[in-house]
Amino acid sequence: LARGLVEEVLHHCTTKLQYVATIRLYLIGHSLGGLVGRRAAPLLLARDSRFQPLGYCSICSPHVGCARPGGGFIKSTWK
């Protein structure tokens, strides 16, 4: 998914922004998109030196994993 995002962004930038010297990049992702964006950011920066990272924001992304269904601390606390 991240490599697909990188290819799509690079294609857009080479066709639409070919005369721009610096491309300011701000990635925003929700849920799985946050994980994809986190992986795609360093790949984009390595592929094209015109990118200037401004920020990264992930909303509701499981960066440290997720609890297994039907178990865990929260469920046992509320019993």
Side-chain angles (χ1 to χ4, degrees), residues 9-31:
V9 169
L10 286 174
H11 175 72
H12 176 76
C13 291
T14 55
T15 57
K16 305 280 184 188
L17 304 173
Q18 57 190 351
Y19 301 112
V20 177
T22 302
I23 300 170
R24 295 184 183 116
L25 184 67
Y26 197 93
L27 292 174
I28 301 172
H30 177 265
S31 192

Side-chain angles (χ1 to χ4, degrees), residues 13-76:
C13 291
T14 55
T15 57
K16 305 280 184 188
L17 304 173
Q18 57 190 351
Y19 301 112
V20 177
T22 302
I23 300 170
R24 295 184 183 116
L25 184 67
Y26 197 93
L27 292 174
I28 301 172
H30 177 265
S31 192
L32 181 60
L35 299 177
V36 172
R38 186 176 78 176
R39 176 65 181 128
L43 296 175
L44 276 170
L45 297 176
R47 292 276 302 267
D48 195 340
S49 61
R50 295 185 301 160
F51 287 113
Q52 176 187 1
L54 292 181
Y56 165 75
C57 178
S58 64
I59 304 160
C60 299
S61 297
H63 292 284
V64 294
C66 57
R68 64 169 205 224
F73 173 74
I74 300 297
K75 185 173 181 180
S76 62

